[in-house]
Amino acid sequence: MSEESNGTEATAEEDNQADVVNLKVGIVLSTGGLGDKNFNDMAYAGLLQAEEEFGIEFDYFEPKAVSDYIANFRLFAESGEYDLIIGIGNEQVDAVTQIAAEYPEIKFSLIDSAAEIENVRTVYTDWTHQTFLCGVIAGLETTAGNLPKTNEENVIGVVVGKEYPALMEGVTGFMAGVKYVNPDAEILSASVGDFADPAKGKEIALSMYSRNADFVQHIAGASGLGVFAAAEETDNYAFGVGGNQNAIEPDYIVATSIRNVNEMVFNEVWHVIQETWVTGSVGSGIKQGSVGYSVEGSNVTLSEETIKIVEEAKKRIIDGELIPCRTVEELEAWTAENQYFN
């Protein structure tokens, strides 16, 4: 079963003035844990909001490795205390699938996955939409000469934590955004192989900057903090991902490819309270306001022309006139058919 979000989630805040509810939620965070200034912190913030507004109780695990997931989910499930158990990310698909089958009477939500899992509600956003607009910024600004840290080379980088299908769609979306306005750009890409290794993230980004990349987009969880450190060390630019990361290094982070994970988690609780929680796969993108870009908090000033083109691309996606490709194999043919300046 699959359903497409129709924007009703956005009204949750308007309707959340409910009485305090007797609801207990467990969440298994992804490896990297709290303090990643990204995915885990946003998910935790969503439950803090639900705690404040609804009076729910929640507990959480911070697994150190993928091998911890099954044990963490089982501890929540076998206790019988939790009305909703939430997982985070594609790494947890196997664990959620196994435990949900063992405990079919319990509600399980898996955030950031489009997997079809029996007895589970999976909630995902369109990664190509999320990263496309920052790709447009990078493609325009790398050759425009508007920003003081850019060089004369036409090179841009993107770093992913692990090569999961959804995240690779994010890589492709960023590349498509670059190629939409700058088809001749060289785009470097690499995988850290871990979401909690900022040292390796930094090493990869330093290599890209040494090859004349002006901008590096990360899609790498806590490993992306290393990308920001490399941008500062080499006096180059980077893009954040997830919650607004611009304030982490405001002189070097141009914008963030936004995804409102906190709202996704909060809405799962809200649906349980409203008795509208159902299993299936629920997705949304730019049109629903769940993803996009933000320059708020950055000290890097983009030109009015760049913002105009980015907003035009955003409107075209909303109107269905522009559909970013989903795989790198499609990129060349897609680029030939989709050019802003043609």
Side-chain angles (χ1 to χ4, degrees):
M1 178 175 68
S2 179
E3 59 178 301
E4 187 70 18
S5 173
N6 60 11
T8 58
E9 310 254 16
T11 66
E13 188 172 345
E14 300 171 9
D15 297 329
N16 63 20
Q17 303 302 320
D19 294 333
V20 172
V21 294
N22 183 22
L23 189 76
K24 193 167 184 178
V25 179
I27 187 168
V28 179
L29 300 173
S30 65
T31 55
L34 294 176
D36 65 352
K37 301 183 186 298
N38 202 322
F39 202 43
N40 288 309
D41 286 353
M42 285 190 292
Y44 186 80
L47 287 182
L48 285 177
Q49 181 186 357
E51 179 185 56
E52 179 179 351
E53 299 191 12
F54 302 136
I56 70 159
E57 297 180 52
F58 75 91
D59 294 310
Y60 64 94
F61 283 117
E62 297 181 86
K64 302 301 181 186
V66 173
S67 57
D68 295 333
Y69 289 147
I70 288 177
N72 289 167
F73 281 110
R74 180 170 283 116
L75 284 169
F76 278 142
E78 69 184 6
S79 74
E81 298 177 7
Y82 297 89
D83 302 284
L84 175 67
I85 299 173
I86 300 175
I88 301 292
N90 274 296
E91 278 190 330
Q92 298 183 354
V93 167
D94 290 344
V96 170
T97 299
Q98 178 175 329
I99 302 302
E102 295 176 12
Y103 297 89
E105 74 283 0
I106 296 177
K107 294 179 174 68
F108 288 86
S109 290
L110 182 58
I111 305 298
D112 198 37
S113 174
E116 299 279 352
I117 308 173
E118 190 172 356
N119 299 325
V120 176
R121 177 178 168 95
T122 58
V123 184
Y124 66 94
T125 54
D126 192 320
W127 267 102
T128 63
H129 284 198
Q130 181 178 341
T131 53
F132 186 89
L133 299 178
C134 279
V136 172
I137 293 171
L140 291 168
E141 291 293 349
T142 193
T143 58
N146 297 321
L147 300 180
K149 304 183 194 305
T150 57
N151 56 54
E152 295 181 358
E153 303 300 322
N154 192 10
V155 183
I156 294 161
V158 55
V159 176
V160 68
K162 291 188 177 182
E163 294 182 352
Y164 293 133
L167 298 187
M168 293 310 295
E169 286 190 2
V171 170
T172 302
F174 181 76
M175 290 179 170
V178 172
K179 294 289 189 177
Y180 177 59
V181 293
N182 185 350
D184 296 326
E186 179 184 0
I187 306 175
L188 311 174
S189 64
S191 171
V192 179
D194 198 312
F195 296 109
D197 192 347
K200 188 170 181 182
K202 180 179 179 180
E203 177 186 340
I204 291 171
L206 286 172
S207 174
M208 290 180 173
Y209 290 131
S210 73
R211 296 170 63 184
N212 293 313
D214 289 317
F215 304 90
V216 174
Q217 167 77 67
H218 92 83
I219 310 172
S223 296
L225 298 176
V227 174
F228 300 153
E232 179 183 21
E233 184 173 309
T234 61
D235 200 30
N236 282 292
Y237 296 114
F239 292 100
V241 75
N244 191 337
Q245 296 189 308
N246 299 339
I248 296 174
E249 290 288 355
D251 293 332
Y252 303 95
I253 303 175
V254 180
T256 295
S257 295
I258 290 290
R259 178 178 45 157
N260 298 312
V261 174
N262 54 324
E263 293 181 13
M264 295 164 70
V265 169
F266 175 86
N267 280 325
E268 290 307 287
V269 178
W270 178 79
H271 277 296
V272 173
I273 293 170
Q274 297 295 316
E275 299 183 350
T276 55
W277 187 98
V278 294
T279 59
S281 189
V282 184
S284 60
I286 284 178
K287 185 174 183 177
Q288 291 79 21
S290 57
V291 297
Y293 79 106
S294 176
V295 296
E296 183 179 355
S298 172
N299 293 335
V300 181
T301 302
L302 299 173
S303 69
E304 291 183 6
E305 180 64 14
T306 290
I307 295 298
K308 171 178 172 288
I309 293 171
V310 172
E311 289 297 318
E312 287 176 357
K314 179 179 177 180
K315 184 177 186 305
R316 290 195 68 204
I317 291 174
I318 291 172
D319 293 343
E321 298 173 4
L322 180 63
I323 302 172
C325 59
R326 296 192 174 277
T327 67
V328 173
E329 290 74 21
E330 299 172 291
L331 185 60
E332 184 176 353
W334 183 91
T335 300
E337 296 294 326
N338 294 274
Q339 284 298 292
Y340 177 82
F341 292 107
N342 283 356

